[in-house]
Amino acid sequence: MALIHRNTSGVYIIAATPFTETGAVDVAGIDSLVDFYAARGVTGMTVLGIMGEADKLTAEERRAVLDRFLARAGAMPVIVGISDSGMANLADFGKYAMDRGAAGVMVAPNRGVPREDRVIGYFAEVCRALGPDVPVVYQDYPQTTGVPVSVRTILEIADANPQIVMLKHEDSPGLAKITAIRAAEAKGGRERLSILVGNGGLHLPQELQRGVDGAMTGFAYPEALVDVVRLHQSGAVDRAEDVFDAYLPILRHEQQPGIGLALRKMILHRRGAIPCPAVRAPGPLLSPTDLAELERLMARTAARVASL
Amino acid sequence: MALIHRNTSGVYIIAATPFTETGAVDVAGIDSLVDFYAARGVTGMTVLGIMGEADKLTAEERRAVLDRFLARAGAMPVIVGISDSGMANLADFGKYAMDRGAAGVMVAPNRGVPREDRVIGYFAEVCRALGPDVPVVYQDYPQTTGVPVSVRTILEIADANPQIVMLKHEDSPGLAKITAIRAAEAKGGRERLSILVGNGGLHLPQELQRGVDGAMTGFAYPEALVDVVRLHQSGAVDRAEDVFDAYLPILRHEQQPGIGLALRKMILHRRGAIPCPAVRAPGPLLSPTDLAELERLMARTAARVASL
Amino acid sequence: MALIHRNTSGVYIIAATPFTETGAVDVAGIDSLVDFYAARGVTGMTVLGIMGEADKLTAEERRAVLDRFLARAGAMPVIVGISDSGMANLADFGKYAMDRGAAGVMVAPNRGVPREDRVIGYFAEVCRALGPDVPVVYQDYPQTTGVPVSVRTILEIADANPQIVMLKHEDSPGLAKITAIRAAEAKGGRERLSILVGNGGLHLPQELQRGVDGAMTGFAYPEALVDVVRLHQSGAVDRAEDVFDAYLPILRHEQQPGIGLALRKMILHRRGAIPCPAVRAPGPLLSPTDLAELERLMARTAARVASL
Amino acid sequence: MALIHRNTSGVYIIAATPFTETGAVDVAGIDSLVDFYAARGVTGMTVLGIMGEADKLTAEERRAVLDRFLARAGAMPVIVGISDSGMANLADFGKYAMDRGAAGVMVAPNRGVPREDRVIGYFAEVCRALGPDVPVVYQDYPQTTGVPVSVRTILEIADANPQIVMLKHEDSPGLAKITAIRAAEAKGGRERLSILVGNGGLHLPQELQRGVDGAMTGFAYPEALVDVVRLHQSGAVDRAEDVFDAYLPILRHEQQPGIGLALRKMILHRRGAIPCPAVRAPGPLLSPTDLAELERLMARTAARVASL
């Protein structure tokens, strides 16, 4: 399979992990979900990220989930979240993923003293453990990891480790970080980083206008991300933002912390992507009020998109 | 002046505090800002909140700012943020505000051990220090205060202290909290709380549909908040949400942490509300990229609102 | 094996997990370590806690480590840390541990929205998943879990779930919590909780004087914990504190966040308890300065203890 | 008055701020406290720090407290905590302090996005606002400020701003930071920093052995800090640590977060340093159990010190 690199662009959808009502991994659901994503035109998938509930899976389950995603993905590139408290287990799973045909791996800085020099040391250790041929995505998501980093730290890590080819950008506030990275690259002397944005895509048009290469997030309307990125890249900047704005009300709703994943999986379920909307326990349950509210927003979205 | 109470509703705009280029309080700017808010139909104002940069003002400056807001507000009710690390200074300023004609005061739980029993004790102490005749708004904003509380803690505080008449709701995720409070009230045995929502109004339509009484936030398009609340209260629920959605792209942009206040003050400045957009130091400065981006979003908002 | 209950007392040492230089689990080291702890008179062991680096082990490794500890422990009771992001995996491992003869399990509240009502719900779910016959230790360690709770929340959880028989108390500040729990029990109407203290034992004499039943912590001089608890329980309160004070300088040194585990394992290694002092990566490495400093403190401790 | 500089050493006691039973500033108590500190041989005082409850004082009160401390201090150097959410107020108070004869000012990084590049920018702004002649202490206390920084960030700030002459070191874990700073200085090319340690002095012997210049903390037995630093500097390294160890049990007790300041002020009161032990509200109250426990520890300390 082709590997991700410093010019990778497009939409890498953060894939949900489907479970049955009893909380078992739903392997058949994986096939259905991959087909749903593929039919909506995504460039690739990122599996076993935070929103893929990787931390609720055993190592065996993670391998089984990955295998099934890869089998169904065919030629579509798959990035694999391998963040782990232990370095050996991180590296083992990273090698497993690459051996099976992954396009790259994604790592967030581990918890611990949140000093930036420690993060630099951590990523050096990660790259050493993986070996130099494994392309790595740095996930910059301090709201969840508790580890904020400066732009210069990101640049230093990417300069020191050529295999860190991509930034999953989801710091907040974050727009100025994108501009600062692109400005630093424009001065010359370093290779550009591919930047895909997360955070549900909440600021996607602005982020594209500031120079990112696409999105890596799990919004349950992947076609929206695909259309916005494609239109923007083709020069239809205003039209891209018009399309985005039509989806923004439900995107903002899905982006709520805590309950967002349950909403996302319910939308995916209602749209036929997964047989069962269950989040693995412990996780939020949607109340009848939540459900009615979500249906109302889905209907409004459909009407608005139809009028585009 | 009329006091706020458990059935207060409408839009209480969180007022910015205008500064000159040199960082001095711009008292003339206060008059201009009050007139701007009044002309857009707000019910009242909340001054010296977190977004009013109260923590960057000395006690003397806070008194001067409050006096000017009250003088210009006329009959419009004014709620005053009085959060303070010291209880005596909190109470002194609260009494000052009420003596000058404020409609109520707003308090967020102070930093310190974030155990919920401590918060219950803290609000008992606040109420005792203020005396029973001062209406108090509980500001539930854990993203900034670092003090999350359960619904039952809010209810217990409001039950034990009848003068706590209003909840400024801006926890996230927060929609279920509103429903839980309204359900607990529906069981009887306790007085209802007025609930106004913050967080820029990011989920205002859903919050109104779940039973809140309005908004208390500082969005730089107050007429949007006013229209949405009024339409909703008149039964035009869908139309209210249509209006909201037209403003959502710029509302979401203004709602960014860290840089949001600078964006908000720039919009207020561009709309003629304040002579100078300065945020008091230390605070973010807008780059030319930030400014061009903001202007683009303002133009898109104007076009979209015009087509409503 | 006997189960822990609401009157369990003594010293349950938090067992380190030994690794080889290459980071593999050192099963022979487990035997040596158990013998070391037993020879110093501990009541029992708690394995696979936070300081047992459980989060760096795969599920298979955790089972293997547990099996070896249980095999060597013989009649000594073993409590097993089973905290896990996923409820099903938590319950599976808990059942495995109890089937193999564990005396109970230990659970800390999982990360997530730190509201106390959520914690109450979480422990109800944990108890349901484990079944009512599994004795559970509530680990109250907010400095690491990020989830502080009030005394009344602890009491409510213990009242609602009789199987929660023990509190591992390591909140800070925490002395008043102990007194409040014992006072609530003295009023009658509820069963007492066994309370063992953590935090390296930093306040052990004061905690014993306030009514705790012993210690559950990993200090590398287990004989100190054993002597202090035994002397205190036999009425020699002053002598207990004299013994404690002799160990306090090195206890305080070992209690440093971040580097403390590496120091503890080095002491255990120097004392012959484990063949290799390695902390699994990622973890701190001790510099020559760190080592010389530690040796100096060990020598001072030996001299002081000899003069008791 | 002499200014602090990059070779300042000794003990700068963090001065408590005395209040009366009603919470008013106790100016007569300030005189008594200064005399107490002076009689125990401290080098200087640091007033209006975090433990001086500066955040509970109005700007007027801060000026009055400072004036009284300076008047009584005579030739003893006084450093003034000037941390403030607003830059103008920080600078105004800093200039006021220097005009009145302070030896320097102390600033902690303000809350806000905790990225290290922002901290670098913040201290540049602080130095510009104060002017180049004001010596500044950088307070590195992330447990309270929420802003951890790497060693290289500290060095960069100190290199770029020659007026930053001193580090108040109280990060935890922190011993390795001291060694790293001293090693970087030993390479040449930069001026050394004075380093005084905080955190109650919990690791003072180790910190002295690693090259700090003394202590800046508020331990209620200042003579202990003075003796330890003096003995260490005179080459009696072991004897210094023996003295320290005698005080360690009560030092550790006073060092508890949350309740520590109330304990410290009670000790100061019992030792005759201040007329009233009150902490300004909101603050912890000591229970009879707390008091009896403290008295017991004070008696044990006296006995142990007498036997040195």
Side-chain angles (χ1 to χ4, degrees), chain C:
Chain C
M1 189 186 282
L3 301 181
I4 55 169
H5 49 79
R6 295 219 173 197
N7 290 297
T8 293
S9 71
V11 173
Y12 281 70
I13 195 80
I14 295 279
T17 300
F19 297 102
T20 66
E21 287 296 349
T22 62
V25 171
D26 180 2
V27 283
I30 291 176
D31 292 349
S32 157
L33 183 61
V34 172
D35 296 348
F36 173 85
Y37 289 144
R40 270 134 198 96
V42 302
T43 315
M45 293 185 295
T46 300
V47 304
L48 295 170
I50 293 169
M51 283 307 198
E53 302 175 71
D55 63 338
K56 297 180 192 163
L57 301 178
T58 65
E60 304 95 309
E61 288 175 325
R62 269 188 258 177
R63 289 191 160 89
V65 166
L66 172 59
D67 289 348
R68 191 77 175 214
F69 267 109
L70 285 168
R72 192 71 172 196
M76 195 197 298
V78 174
I79 299 171
V80 184
I82 61 169
S83 295
D84 199 297
S85 299
M87 185 61 69
N89 293 325
L90 177 152
D92 282 352
F93 188 51
K95 286 169 191 163
Y96 179 89
M98 297 309 294
D99 286 348
R100 296 296 172 116
V105 299
M106 182 163 73
V107 179
N110 71 330
R111 280 201 178 269
V113 185
R115 289 181 206 134
E116 297 190 20
D117 54 357
R118 188 189 63 78
V119 179
I120 292 169
Y122 181 72
F123 274 89
E125 204 177 342
V126 165
C127 289
R128 206 159 41 231
L130 287 170
D133 297 332
V134 178
V136 176
V137 182
Y138 181 118
Q139 183 175 19
D140 185 25
Y141 191 20
Q143 302 94 296
T144 292
T145 61
V147 185
V149 294
S150 304
V151 163
R152 65 181 199 167
T153 296
I154 294 170
L155 293 171
E156 184 170 338
I157 290 172
D159 290 349
N161 305 284
Q163 77 201 83
I164 297 189
V165 298
M166 186 186 286
L167 178 68
K168 182 178 198 300
H169 168 75
E170 41 194 342
D171 196 358
S172 174
L175 294 174
K177 276 181 117 168
I178 295 166
T179 301
I181 291 171
R182 289 303 183 226
E185 290 167 354
K187 284 185 192 157
R190 57 164 51 93
E191 218 188 329
R192 81 189 294 281
L193 262 178
S194 167
I195 307 180
L196 302 187
V197 300
N199 261 332
L202 191 63
H203 300 282
L204 182 55
Q206 283 64 47
E207 291 164 328
L208 288 165
Q209 291 161 27
R210 285 172 182 258
V212 306
D213 301 292
M216 186 193 287
T217 192
F219 184 38
Y221 294 82
E223 65 271 34
L225 304 172
V226 169
D227 286 354
V228 170
V229 171
R230 182 183 45 78
L231 285 165
H232 179 88
Q233 288 176 344
S234 71
V237 174
D238 285 315
R239 177 68 183 165
E241 192 154 359
D242 292 342
V243 171
F244 177 84
D245 287 354
Y247 288 95
L248 180 53
I250 200 159
L251 188 156
R252 158 217 55 157
H253 191 71
E254 193 191 285
Q255 182 62 7
Q256 293 177 81
I259 198 171
L261 178 62
L263 295 170
R264 175 178 293 171
K265 290 184 107 167
M266 182 56 74
I267 301 175
L268 289 172
H269 171 63
R270 293 286 164 97
R271 300 190 76 202
I274 51 177
C276 168
V279 172
R280 209 171 222 196
L285 296 180
L286 299 182
S287 69
T289 304
D290 296 331
L291 276 174
E293 181 179 71
L294 182 63
E295 277 163 21
R296 192 170 179 285
L297 282 163
M298 289 181 72
R300 287 180 59 87
T301 301
R304 176 104 173 265
V305 169
S307 76
L308 270 174

Side-chain angles (χ1 to χ4, degrees), chain A residues 26-169:
Chain A
D26 181 2
V27 284
I30 292 175
D31 292 351
S32 157
L33 183 62
V34 172
D35 295 349
F36 172 85
Y37 289 145
R40 270 133 199 99
V42 301
T43 315
M45 292 185 296
T46 299
V47 303
L48 295 170
I50 293 170
M51 283 307 198
E53 301 175 72
D55 62 339
K56 297 180 192 164
L57 301 178
T58 64
E60 304 96 309
E61 287 176 326
R62 269 188 258 176
R63 289 191 159 89
V65 166
L66 172 60
D67 288 347
R68 190 78 174 213
F69 268 109
L70 285 169
R72 191 73 171 195
M76 194 195 301
V78 174
I79 299 170
V80 184
I82 61 168
S83 295
D84 199 297
S85 299
M87 186 60 70
N89 292 325
L90 177 152
D92 283 351
F93 188 51
K95 286 168 190 165
Y96 179 90
M98 297 309 294
D99 285 347
R100 296 296 172 115
V105 299
M106 182 163 72
V107 179
N110 71 332
R111 280 199 179 269
V113 186
R115 289 183 206 132
E116 297 190 22
D117 54 357
R118 189 189 62 78
V119 178
I120 292 169
Y122 181 72
F123 273 88
E125 205 178 340
V126 165
C127 290
R128 205 160 42 231
L130 288 170
D133 297 331
V134 178
V136 176
V137 182
Y138 182 118
Q139 183 175 19
D140 185 24
Y141 190 21
Q143 302 95 294
T144 291
T145 61
V147 186
V149 295
S150 304
V151 163
R152 64 181 198 167
T153 296
I154 294 170
L155 293 171
E156 184 171 338
I157 291 173
D159 289 350
N161 304 283
Q163 78 200 84
I164 297 190
V165 297
M166 185 185 286
L167 177 69
K168 180 177 200 299
H169 167 75

Side-chain angles (χ1 to χ4, degrees), chain A residues 210 238 241 290 296 304, chain B residues 210 238 241 296 304:
Chain A
R210 283 171 183 258
D238 285 315
E241 193 156 359
D290 296 331
R296 192 171 180 284
R304 176 102 172 268
Chain B
R210 284 171 182 258
D238 284 316
E241 193 155 358
R296 193 171 179 283
R304 176 102 173 267

Side-chain angles (χ1 to χ4, degrees), chain B residues 171-196:
Chain B
D171 196 357
S172 173
L175 295 175
K177 275 182 118 167
I178 296 166
T179 301
I181 290 171
R182 290 302 183 226
E185 291 167 352
K187 284 186 192 158
R190 58 164 49 94
E191 216 188 331
R192 81 189 294 280
L193 262 178
S194 168
I195 307 179
L196 302 187

Side-chain angles (χ1 to χ4, degrees), chain D residues 77-165:
Chain D
V78 174
I79 299 171
V80 184
I82 61 169
S83 294
D84 199 298
S85 298
M87 186 60 71
N89 292 325
L90 178 152
D92 283 352
F93 188 51
K95 286 168 190 162
Y96 179 90
M98 297 309 294
D99 286 347
R100 296 296 172 116
V105 299
M106 181 164 72
V107 178
N110 71 331
R111 280 202 178 268
V113 185
R115 289 183 206 133
E116 297 191 20
D117 53 358
R118 188 190 61 80
V119 178
I120 292 168
Y122 180 72
F123 274 88
E125 204 177 342
V126 165
C127 289
R128 204 159 43 231
L130 287 170
D133 297 332
V134 178
V136 175
V137 182
Y138 181 118
Q139 184 175 20
D140 185 24
Y141 191 19
Q143 303 94 295
T144 291
T145 61
V147 186
V149 295
S150 304
V151 163
R152 64 181 199 169
T153 296
I154 294 170
L155 293 171
E156 184 170 338
I157 291 172
D159 289 349
N161 305 282
Q163 77 199 84
I164 296 190
V165 297

Side-chain angles (χ1 to χ4, degrees), chain A residues 172-173 175 202 206 209-210 237-238 241-242 244-245 248-249 252 256-257 290 293 296-297 300 304, chain B residues 172-173 175 202 206 209-210 237-238 241-242 244-245 248-249 252 256-257 290 293 296-297 300 304:
Chain A
S172 173
L175 295 174
L202 190 63
Q206 282 66 45
Q209 291 160 27
R210 283 171 183 258
V237 173
D238 285 315
E241 193 156 359
D242 292 343
F244 176 84
D245 287 354
L248 179 55
R252 157 217 58 157
Q256 293 176 82
D290 296 331
E293 182 178 72
R296 192 171 180 284
L297 282 162
R300 287 180 59 88
R304 176 102 172 268
Chain B
S172 173
L175 295 175
L202 190 64
Q206 283 64 44
Q209 291 160 26
R210 284 171 182 258
V237 173
D238 284 316
E241 193 155 358
D242 291 344
F244 177 84
D245 287 354
L248 180 55
R252 159 217 56 156
Q256 293 176 83
D290 296 330
E293 181 180 71
R296 193 171 179 283
L297 282 163
R300 286 180 59 89
R304 176 102 173 267

